[in-house]
mmCIF file of all heavy atoms in Angstrom:
data_model
loop_
_atom_site.group_PDB
_atom_site.id
_atom_site.type_symbol
_atom_site.label_atom_id
_atom_site.label_comp_id
_atom_site.label_asym_id
_atom_site.label_seq_id
_atom_site.Cartn_x
_atom_site.Cartn_y
_atom_site.Cartn_z
ATOM 1 N N SER G 1 109.536 103.462 86.131
ATOM 2 C CA SER G 1 108.688 103.326 87.307
ATOM 3 C C SER G 1 109.548 102.811 88.455
ATOM 4 O O SER G 1 110.698 102.391 88.254
ATOM 5 C CB SER G 1 107.548 102.334 87.032
ATOM 6 O OG SER G 1 108.082 101.018 86.892
ATOM 7 N N ASP G 2 108.998 102.809 89.646
ATOM 8 C CA ASP G 2 109.755 102.301 90.791
ATOM 9 C C ASP G 2 110.188 100.859 90.565
ATOM 10 O O ASP G 2 111.340 100.494 90.814
ATOM 11 C CB ASP G 2 108.919 102.408 92.073
ATOM 12 C CG ASP G 2 108.716 103.847 92.510
ATOM 13 O OD1 ASP G 2 109.461 104.740 92.057
ATOM 14 O OD2 ASP G 2 107.789 104.083 93.314
ATOM 15 N N ALA G 3 109.271 100.026 90.081
ATOM 16 C CA ALA G 3 109.597 98.615 89.837
ATOM 17 C C ALA G 3 110.694 98.486 88.794
ATOM 18 O O ALA G 3 111.633 97.701 88.954
ATOM 19 C CB ALA G 3 108.351 97.859 89.401
ATOM 20 N N SER G 4 110.603 99.245 87.727
ATOM 21 C CA SER G 4 111.613 99.213 86.675
ATOM 22 C C SER G 4 112.963 99.683 87.214
ATOM 23 O O SER G 4 113.996 99.073 86.933
ATOM 24 C CB SER G 4 111.168 100.101 85.512
ATOM 25 O OG SER G 4 112.172 100.212 84.541
ATOM 26 N N ALA G 5 112.957 100.748 87.988
ATOM 27 C CA ALA G 5 114.203 101.299 88.534
ATOM 28 C C ALA G 5 114.884 100.304 89.477
ATOM 29 O O ALA G 5 116.112 100.190 89.475
ATOM 30 C CB ALA G 5 113.928 102.605 89.261
ATOM 31 N N ARG G 6 114.098 99.581 90.261
ATOM 32 C CA ARG G 6 114.683 98.599 91.181
ATOM 33 C C ARG G 6 115.418 97.499 90.427
ATOM 34 O O ARG G 6 116.356 96.902 90.939
ATOM 35 C CB ARG G 6 113.616 98.010 92.089
ATOM 36 C CG ARG G 6 113.239 98.935 93.236
ATOM 37 C CD ARG G 6 112.380 98.235 94.280
ATOM 38 N NE ARG G 6 111.047 97.958 93.789
ATOM 39 C CZ ARG G 6 110.019 98.817 93.822
ATOM 40 N NH1 ARG G 6 110.197 100.019 94.342
ATOM 41 N NH2 ARG G 6 108.848 98.481 93.352
ATOM 42 N N GLY G 7 115.026 97.231 89.205
ATOM 43 C CA GLY G 7 115.676 96.203 88.408
ATOM 44 C C GLY G 7 116.964 96.641 87.750
ATOM 45 O O GLY G 7 117.602 95.849 87.059
ATOM 46 N N LEU G 8 117.385 97.874 87.954
ATOM 47 C CA LEU G 8 118.575 98.404 87.279
ATOM 48 C C LEU G 8 119.861 98.279 88.096
ATOM 49 O O LEU G 8 120.873 98.845 87.720
ATOM 50 C CB LEU G 8 118.349 99.873 86.896
ATOM 51 C CG LEU G 8 117.232 100.116 85.891
ATOM 52 C CD1 LEU G 8 117.063 101.613 85.639
ATOM 53 C CD2 LEU G 8 117.501 99.382 84.585
ATOM 54 N N ALA G 9 119.825 97.587 89.206
ATOM 55 C CA ALA G 9 121.016 97.335 90.024
ATOM 56 C C ALA G 9 121.695 98.611 90.499
ATOM 57 O O ALA G 9 122.907 98.706 90.527
ATOM 58 C CB ALA G 9 122.000 96.439 89.274
ATOM 59 N N LYS G 10 120.912 99.603 90.875
ATOM 60 C CA LYS G 10 121.475 100.838 91.416
ATOM 61 C C LYS G 10 121.645 100.756 92.929
ATOM 62 O O LYS G 10 122.203 101.641 93.536
ATOM 63 C CB LYS G 10 120.595 102.032 91.047
ATOM 64 C CG LYS G 10 120.648 102.363 89.565
ATOM 65 C CD LYS G 10 119.805 103.564 89.245
ATOM 66 C CE LYS G 10 119.926 103.964 87.814
ATOM 67 N NZ LYS G 10 121.108 104.753 87.510
ATOM 68 N N GLY G 11 121.128 99.691 93.511
ATOM 69 C CA GLY G 11 121.219 99.501 94.950
ATOM 70 C C GLY G 11 119.870 99.106 95.509
ATOM 71 O O GLY G 11 118.836 99.428 94.920
ATOM 72 N N PRO G 12 119.871 98.416 96.653
ATOM 73 C CA PRO G 12 118.625 97.891 97.212
ATOM 74 C C PRO G 12 117.646 98.962 97.693
ATOM 75 O O PRO G 12 116.457 98.702 97.791
ATOM 76 C CB PRO G 12 119.098 97.024 98.382
ATOM 77 C CG PRO G 12 120.436 97.578 98.745
ATOM 78 C CD PRO G 12 121.025 98.087 97.475
ATOM 79 N N ASP G 13 118.152 100.140 97.974
ATOM 80 C CA ASP G 13 117.281 101.196 98.496
ATOM 81 C C ASP G 13 116.949 102.253 97.444
ATOM 82 O O ASP G 13 116.438 103.327 97.765
ATOM 83 C CB ASP G 13 117.924 101.863 99.702
ATOM 84 C CG ASP G 13 119.304 102.438 99.405
ATOM 85 O OD1 ASP G 13 119.861 102.127 98.330
ATOM 86 O OD2 ASP G 13 119.825 103.172 100.241
ATOM 87 N N ARG G 14 117.209 101.951 96.188
ATOM 88 C CA ARG G 14 116.925 102.902 95.121
ATOM 89 C C ARG G 14 115.708 102.440 94.348
ATOM 90 O O ARG G 14 115.493 101.247 94.212
ATOM 91 C CB ARG G 14 118.119 103.024 94.171
ATOM 92 C CG ARG G 14 119.405 103.485 94.841
ATOM 93 C CD ARG G 14 119.530 104.967 95.006
ATOM 94 N NE ARG G 14 119.474 105.726 93.784
ATOM 95 C CZ ARG G 14 120.495 105.926 92.964
ATOM 96 N NH1 ARG G 14 121.676 105.429 93.218
ATOM 97 N NH2 ARG G 14 120.341 106.651 91.869
ATOM 98 N N PRO G 15 114.904 103.298 93.836
ATOM 99 C CA PRO G 15 115.072 104.745 93.883
ATOM 100 C C PRO G 15 114.721 105.311 95.264
ATOM 101 O O PRO G 15 113.922 104.733 96.000
ATOM 102 C CB PRO G 15 114.093 105.246 92.825
ATOM 103 C CG PRO G 15 113.014 104.228 92.806
ATOM 104 C CD PRO G 15 113.694 102.919 93.091
ATOM 105 N N LEU G 16 115.323 106.423 95.573
ATOM 106 C CA LEU G 16 115.064 107.082 96.843
ATOM 107 C C LEU G 16 113.715 107.798 96.827
ATOM 108 O O LEU G 16 113.034 107.870 97.840
ATOM 109 C CB LEU G 16 116.171 108.088 97.156
ATOM 110 C CG LEU G 16 117.568 107.491 97.301
ATOM 111 C CD1 LEU G 16 118.613 108.586 97.346
ATOM 112 C CD2 LEU G 16 117.654 106.608 98.523
ATOM 113 N N ASN G 17 113.359 108.337 95.674
ATOM 114 C CA ASN G 17 112.088 109.044 95.507
ATOM 115 C C ASN G 17 111.142 108.199 94.664
ATOM 116 O O ASN G 17 111.565 107.558 93.702
ATOM 117 C CB ASN G 17 112.322 110.400 94.826
ATOM 118 C CG ASN G 17 113.011 111.370 95.741
ATOM 119 O OD1 ASN G 17 112.476 111.737 96.775
ATOM 120 N ND2 ASN G 17 114.209 111.791 95.368
ATOM 121 N N ARG G 18 109.874 108.221 95.016
ATOM 122 C CA ARG G 18 108.869 107.446 94.276
ATOM 123 C C ARG G 18 108.675 108.013 92.875
ATOM 124 O O ARG G 18 108.926 109.199 92.631
ATOM 125 C CB ARG G 18 107.544 107.453 95.036
ATOM 126 C CG ARG G 18 107.647 106.710 96.373
ATOM 127 C CD ARG G 18 106.343 106.742 97.081
ATOM 128 N NE ARG G 18 105.844 108.128 97.074
ATOM 129 C CZ ARG G 18 105.004 108.626 97.948
ATOM 130 N NH1 ARG G 18 104.528 107.880 98.900
ATOM 131 N NH2 ARG G 18 104.604 109.878 97.884
ATOM 132 N N ASP G 19 108.194 107.161 91.977
ATOM 133 C CA ASP G 19 108.061 107.567 90.581
ATOM 134 C C ASP G 19 107.172 108.793 90.390
ATOM 135 O O ASP G 19 107.504 109.687 89.606
ATOM 136 C CB ASP G 19 107.617 106.417 89.673
ATOM 137 C CG ASP G 19 106.420 105.635 90.145
ATOM 138 O OD1 ASP G 19 105.579 106.148 90.916
ATOM 139 O OD2 ASP G 19 106.306 104.465 89.719
ATOM 140 N N ARG G 20 106.078 108.896 91.096
ATOM 141 C CA ARG G 20 105.194 110.064 90.938
ATOM 142 C C ARG G 20 105.885 111.340 91.412
ATOM 143 O O ARG G 20 105.685 112.404 90.834
ATOM 144 C CB ARG G 20 103.882 109.875 91.705
ATOM 145 C CG ARG G 20 103.085 108.674 91.270
ATOM 146 C CD ARG G 20 102.425 108.916 89.954
ATOM 147 N NE ARG G 20 101.829 107.688 89.461
ATOM 148 C CZ ARG G 20 100.942 107.628 88.522
ATOM 149 N NH1 ARG G 20 100.531 108.720 87.929
ATOM 150 N NH2 ARG G 20 100.465 106.486 88.109
ATOM 151 N N ASP G 21 106.702 111.230 92.438
ATOM 152 C CA ASP G 21 107.449 112.392 92.927
ATOM 153 C C ASP G 21 108.539 112.792 91.932
ATOM 154 O O ASP G 21 108.751 113.980 91.659
ATOM 155 C CB ASP G 21 108.066 112.103 94.296
ATOM 156 C CG ASP G 21 107.018 111.857 95.362
ATOM 157 O OD1 ASP G 21 105.922 112.437 95.264
ATOM 158 O OD2 ASP G 21 107.288 111.062 96.285
ATOM 159 N N ARG G 22 109.228 111.799 91.351
ATOM 160 C CA ARG G 22 110.254 112.089 90.347
ATOM 161 C C ARG G 22 109.620 112.724 89.108
ATOM 162 O O ARG G 22 110.170 113.662 88.531
ATOM 163 C CB ARG G 22 111.017 110.813 89.982
ATOM 164 C CG ARG G 22 111.869 110.295 91.151
ATOM 165 C CD ARG G 22 112.666 109.052 90.811
ATOM 166 N NE ARG G 22 111.829 107.862 90.835
ATOM 167 C CZ ARG G 22 111.648 107.028 89.823
ATOM 168 N NH1 ARG G 22 112.268 107.229 88.667
ATOM 169 N NH2 ARG G 22 110.878 105.962 89.936
ATOM 170 N N ALA G 23 108.437 112.222 88.729
ATOM 171 C CA ALA G 23 107.727 112.790 87.577
ATOM 172 C C ALA G 23 107.321 114.233 87.847
ATOM 173 O O ALA G 23 107.414 115.092 86.962
ATOM 174 C CB ALA G 23 106.496 111.940 87.252
ATOM 175 N N PHE G 24 106.885 114.517 89.057
ATOM 176 C CA PHE G 24 106.471 115.871 89.429
ATOM 177 C C PHE G 24 107.646 116.841 89.319
ATOM 178 O O PHE G 24 107.512 117.936 88.771
ATOM 179 C CB PHE G 24 105.904 115.856 90.855
ATOM 180 C CG PHE G 24 105.286 117.147 91.280
ATOM 181 C CD1 PHE G 24 103.943 117.403 91.039
ATOM 182 C CD2 PHE G 24 106.030 118.110 91.940
ATOM 183 C CE1 PHE G 24 103.359 118.599 91.435
ATOM 184 C CE2 PHE G 24 105.459 119.312 92.346
ATOM 185 C CZ PHE G 24 104.116 119.555 92.091
ATOM 186 N N VAL G 25 108.806 116.433 89.820
ATOM 187 C CA VAL G 25 109.995 117.292 89.771
ATOM 188 C C VAL G 25 110.412 117.527 88.315
ATOM 189 O O VAL G 25 110.684 118.667 87.917
ATOM 190 C CB VAL G 25 111.154 116.682 90.595
ATOM 191 C CG1 VAL G 25 112.451 117.439 90.372
ATOM 192 C CG2 VAL G 25 110.793 116.681 92.081
ATOM 193 N N LEU G 26 110.439 116.477 87.508
ATOM 194 C CA LEU G 26 110.770 116.648 86.090
ATOM 195 C C LEU G 26 109.763 117.566 85.403
ATOM 196 O O LEU G 26 110.131 118.398 84.575
ATOM 197 C CB LEU G 26 110.802 115.296 85.377
ATOM 198 C CG LEU G 26 112.022 114.422 85.643
ATOM 199 C CD1 LEU G 26 111.770 113.004 85.145
ATOM 200 C CD2 LEU G 26 113.262 115.014 84.999
ATOM 201 N N GLY G 27 108.498 117.409 85.748
ATOM 202 C CA GLY G 27 107.443 118.235 85.161
ATOM 203 C C GLY G 27 107.576 119.702 85.503
ATOM 204 O O GLY G 27 107.013 120.557 84.821
ATOM 205 N N GLY G 28 108.318 120.018 86.532
ATOM 206 C CA GLY G 28 108.548 121.408 86.910
ATOM 207 C C GLY G 28 109.567 122.116 86.045
ATOM 208 O O GLY G 28 109.713 123.334 86.124
ATOM 209 N N LEU G 29 110.253 121.371 85.199
ATOM 210 C CA LEU G 29 111.257 121.967 84.319
ATOM 211 C C LEU G 29 110.605 122.451 83.028
ATOM 212 O O LEU G 29 109.870 121.702 82.375
ATOM 213 C CB LEU G 29 112.348 120.947 83.977
ATOM 214 C CG LEU G 29 113.168 120.402 85.144
ATOM 215 C CD1 LEU G 29 114.133 119.324 84.650
ATOM 216 C CD2 LEU G 29 113.938 121.525 85.831
ATOM 217 N N ALA G 30 110.896 123.666 82.633
ATOM 218 C CA ALA G 30 110.326 124.232 81.408
ATOM 219 C C ALA G 30 110.759 123.456 80.175
ATOM 220 O O ALA G 30 110.008 123.373 79.195
ATOM 221 C CB ALA G 30 110.729 125.699 81.272
ATOM 222 N N CYS G 31 111.936 122.858 80.196
ATOM 223 C CA CYS G 31 112.438 122.136 79.021
ATOM 224 C C CYS G 31 111.766 120.783 78.817
ATOM 225 O O CYS G 31 111.862 120.200 77.743
ATOM 226 C CB CYS G 31 113.955 121.969 79.103
ATOM 227 S SG CYS G 31 114.523 121.023 80.521
#
């Protein structure tokens, strides 16, 4: 989730895309 991702020390402005948007893009993959 966004909160979980912020805790991973990837940078103060990460994630760049919100969790629902990232889920939507992943969901577009047939695999």
Side-chain angles (χ1 to χ4, degrees):
S1 68
D2 291 342
S4 174
R6 281 191 289 275
L8 296 177
K10 290 182 176 279
D13 57 348
R14 301 277 301 278
L16 299 169
N17 289 297
R18 294 180 312 204
D19 50 25
R20 301 286 172 164
D21 296 329
R22 292 181 282 122
F24 188 89
V25 171
L26 285 167
L29 298 176
C31 61

